[in-house]
Amino acid sequence: MFAEEDLELFFTKENCMDISEVTELLDNGEKVDIECKESDSNLSKSIWDTYSSFANTNGGYILLGIKEDKKKKLPEERFQIQGIKNYETQVKIFWDTINSDKVNKNILRDEDVQIVKIPSTSLAVVSIHVPRADYNNRPVFINGNPYKGTFKRNHE
């Protein structure tokens, strides 16, 4: 199990996360600071709600390329690393969108978005660390509407 301060280390250029660490995170399941998105061929549309909610609360990690079977109860059975074929395209679309008018503030740095390659495949998981926005940057909202586009993370 990872402590919050340990998670922070995985998302630095000096210590990139590898697939075994993704697996270990998934064994603990989604929670207030981890969200999984399938994003198999396209960037998940709900990623922006999650970005807003993490930025407006205590931050968190979005993992793209993870399939969730909600019928399963045990986290090790519920989450499957599926990977993304076009991960480079999805990362480009993510950066283009976050730097557009989709969100009112981009609080990410380059090192907050990492590609975690799946060994012996051409697939990868994309991990996005969303820090808590500082007081001057909140609320972080989407679609130009602070009333309907501001989200807060309370649980998974």
Side-chain angles (χ1 to χ4, degrees):
M1 183 183 289
F2 293 104
E4 249 180 84
E5 56 274 4
D6 294 333
L7 286 173
E8 197 70 37
L9 293 174
F10 294 134
F11 290 85
T12 64
K13 288 192 179 206
E14 297 82 34
N15 189 11
C16 294
M17 181 179 265
D18 68 26
I19 203 65
S20 66
E21 293 159 334
V22 170
T23 301
E24 193 170 336
L25 280 175
L26 294 175
D27 286 347
N28 295 317
E30 279 187 342
K31 46 190 168 186
V32 72
D33 61 351
I34 295 177
E35 177 73 23
C36 299
K37 308 278 184 198
E38 194 167 345
S39 296
D40 52 358
S41 59
N42 294 309
L43 196 61
S44 173
K45 297 200 183 313
S46 66
I47 194 171
W48 306 112
D49 300 358
T50 304
Y51 170 78
S52 170
S53 68
F54 282 163
N56 291 323
T57 51
N58 293 321
Y61 299 90
I62 303 169
L63 298 173
L64 306 179
I66 309 297
K67 184 175 182 175
E68 180 179 8
D69 183 350
K70 294 188 178 193
K71 295 176 186 171
K72 307 275 184 178
K73 295 293 180 201
L74 297 174
E76 58 271 12
E77 295 174 358
R78 187 171 184 162
F79 299 99
Q80 298 171 349
I81 297 174
Q82 174 176 310
I84 302 170
K85 289 180 187 175
N86 62 343
Y87 55 87
E88 290 171 335
T89 302
Q90 287 198 37
V91 168
K92 181 181 181 333
I93 291 168
F94 174 81
W95 281 117
D96 289 349
T97 306
I98 202 167
N99 288 318
S100 73
D101 59 357
K102 178 68 176 174
V103 298
N104 70 316
K105 300 257 196 264
N106 175 5
I107 60 170
L108 301 184
R109 300 166 299 167
D110 287 345
E111 55 267 19
D112 288 323
V113 178
Q114 302 247 334
I115 294 170
V116 182
K117 299 228 175 153
I118 301 172
S120 304
T121 72
S122 60
L123 305 173
V125 170
V126 176
S127 59
I128 303 167
H129 169 243
V130 181
R132 178 182 181 152
D134 68 33
Y135 178 77
N136 295 325
N137 287 327
R138 285 192 304 250
V140 173
F141 55 89
I142 63 171
N143 299 326
N145 189 334
Y147 299 105
K148 292 185 178 181
T150 300
F151 295 85
K152 185 179 174 196
R153 186 79 167 189
N154 291 324
H155 191 358
E156 69 174 71

